[in-house]
Amino acid sequence: MAAYDKTDLERRMAGAVEALKSDLAGLRTGRASTALLDPVMVTVYGSSMPLNQVATVSAPEPRMLSVQVWDKSNVGPTDKAIRSAGLGLNPIVDGQTLRLPIPDLTEERRKELAKLAGQYAEKARIAVRNVRRDGMDSLKVDEKKGVFGEDERKRHETEVQKLTDSIIAELDATATAKEKEILGK
């Protein structure tokens, strides 16, 4: 059986694009969005879990997020997780509710967020390159097994490289658009 599967490579590379879009959705541009808190992981009950599994997140006002923690004992860890997430948000604790006012974006904060968007994009590019490497390795394994010859392997390698180039171009376009949105250009 052949180890090379082009549809699997396409699926995995598309997954990197979706992961980048999800990460970039969490970067704020001055308005409250519940997606802003998606990357926050809270350590409760001896394990780390996403914020939406310990609380309800809502945006009651354009410049305010509200986090309703379900278990009163989780308020402290949730507050700590939001503060340490590097999002520039300082929760105001009100019983089991955390209110998060969204401050105006300063030029310095915009540059930090644009830099973070670039880091997310680089992480996605690395993931795509790892998928490409896996595809190239499986092509070499198939050639050694005699599934196909050297010419066919080279043709498939060209296909994998073209796919990689198109996905990386898509990642770059997505990251550039988000950076422009953050910087207000």
Side-chain angles (χ1 to χ4, degrees):
M1 185 176 145
Y4 172 70
D5 183 1
K6 184 178 179 184
T7 56
D8 181 54
L9 294 177
E10 290 171 344
R11 180 190 56 78
R12 290 170 57 196
M13 287 185 185
V17 173
E18 291 307 312
L20 175 65
K21 288 179 180 177
S22 173
D23 287 345
L24 292 179
L27 293 180
R28 66 188 172 93
T29 56
R31 285 190 28 182
S33 166
T34 57
L36 177 61
L37 298 176
D38 285 349
V40 176
M41 298 296 283
V42 183
T43 303
V44 291
Y45 309 122
S47 66
S48 186
M49 56 183 66
L51 177 64
N52 64 4
Q53 292 184 8
V54 296
T56 303
V57 180
S58 62
E61 299 174 26
R63 308 211 21 97
M64 175 79 70
L65 286 174
S66 175
V67 178
Q68 180 68 41
V69 182
W70 301 325
D71 186 349
K72 191 171 187 167
S73 65
N74 293 339
V75 173
T78 303
D79 177 44
K80 182 180 177 185
I82 293 170
R83 288 179 191 275
S84 64
L87 299 172
L89 300 174
N90 293 313
I92 300 168
V93 180
D94 183 16
Q96 283 183 241
T97 303
L98 301 173
R99 289 180 317 203
L100 297 121
I102 307 296
D104 288 333
L105 287 176
T106 63
E107 187 64 28
E108 181 181 321
R109 185 67 183 143
R110 287 180 189 273
K111 288 179 181 176
E112 285 177 25
L113 290 173
K115 185 177 177 182
L116 191 57
Q119 290 172 353
Y120 288 159
E122 184 58 30
K123 187 173 78 171
R125 282 188 215 100
I126 289 169
V128 168
R129 287 187 208 115
N130 287 339
V131 172
R132 177 190 63 193
R133 184 194 64 228
D134 292 346
M136 297 294 193
D137 290 348
S138 65
L139 285 170
K140 290 174 185 169
V141 167
D142 284 350
E143 183 186 13
K144 285 182 182 176
K145 287 182 181 176
V147 175
F148 44 72
E150 182 180 353
D151 290 343
E152 195 170 350
R153 175 186 56 88
K154 286 186 178 183
R155 185 177 56 78
H156 286 304
E157 283 179 349
T158 303
E159 288 175 1
V160 170
Q161 187 59 48
K162 283 181 183 176
L163 176 63
T164 303
D165 292 343
S166 69
I167 295 291
I168 289 200
E170 185 178 349
L171 291 173
D172 290 343
T174 302
T176 301
K178 186 65 175 187
E179 287 174 4
K180 284 181 181 177
E181 179 185 338
I182 289 170
L183 295 173
K185 292 182 179 177

